Amino acid sequence: MLAYGVTADFMDEYLKIGETTTLRSLKMFVKTVVSIFFEEYLRKPNNDDIARLLVVGEKRGFPGMLGSIDCMHWKEKNCPTAWHGMYSGHIHEPTIILEAVAYYDLWIWHAFFGLPGSHNDINVLDRSFIFSDLAKGLILTINYTINGHNYVMRYYLADGIYPQWATFVKTISTPQGNKKKYFVAAQESARKDVERVFGVLQARFAIIRGRARFFHIETLNDIMMACVILHNTIIEDERADNEEEEFEYEQLTESTHDPVSTDPTPEFNEFSQRHHALRDRKIHCQLQADLVEHLWQQYSAS
């Protein structure tokens, strides 16, 4: 049912297992997968993970980048008629939204699922927990330099709908000049990592490519999280040795981007300062301009 998206009564004809038993087994299976493997395969990046991601991001022309962020809609078949307006958005069908952060190797580092399809990506971001630890000071800080300017905040590549925050690097809608055009091509190429993840996830698990047949949101959440966890286990198993050699993971300890740990600071003033810092538009614009120059310098040197 997860891999091929078949219905429960199909199992009765093919495997001689009753529909009720099949549905119960599926629910127990996905719940068990989430409870056992969530901490390992949907964990937040640790020190080693951050160091590896920063090294690879710098090689791709984006120092300080930790992935790409976007949302995917899962169509819902059994949505009650009274809820259609709440769950229908630009797709004009009832859907449930998955927000994800992914990287070049298709590993999903963040998954937030369950909001109705009438929300856009900004609404999902406001309810997501992706930056909650950063605002609370419970997350690792990083230090890197681009075009002579120092930065201490990680960022993600995003499309045009996301706000102008210091934690996002977006494309330029109407680029003028070769520098900005090259930046747009590089940014949109790297940002496609998360789009590829959604395609691979749906290809591997047809149950989320088709329409969701279950009614309770708790069951749908377990199914989606289980598929994400199983996807990450496959990615871990299929990592090729030549990719490790290409990005020189064995030299991570020599990286200049080693993360620096910060102690929790629960004071409200410091929380407010961090909250405003991650939403700073000036840093967003400066970071984008520095990356334009940085990528152009790399292109000219090559």
Side-chain angles (χ1 to χ4, degrees), residues 51-65:
R52 175 170 58 87
L53 296 177
L54 291 174
V55 169
V56 178
E58 185 173 7
K59 288 179 178 293
R60 302 177 73 187
F62 292 93
M65 179 188 68

Side-chain angles (χ1 to χ4, degrees), residues 62 171-189 291-293 295-296 299:
F62 292 93
T171 186
I172 301 174
S173 57
T174 54
Q176 302 294 326
N178 292 332
K179 290 183 179 180
K180 292 184 178 180
K181 289 181 180 179
Y182 182 75
F183 166 78
V184 168
Q187 193 272 353
E188 293 181 352
S189 175
L291 284 172
V292 170
E293 295 294 333
L295 287 167
W296 184 252
Y299 175 75

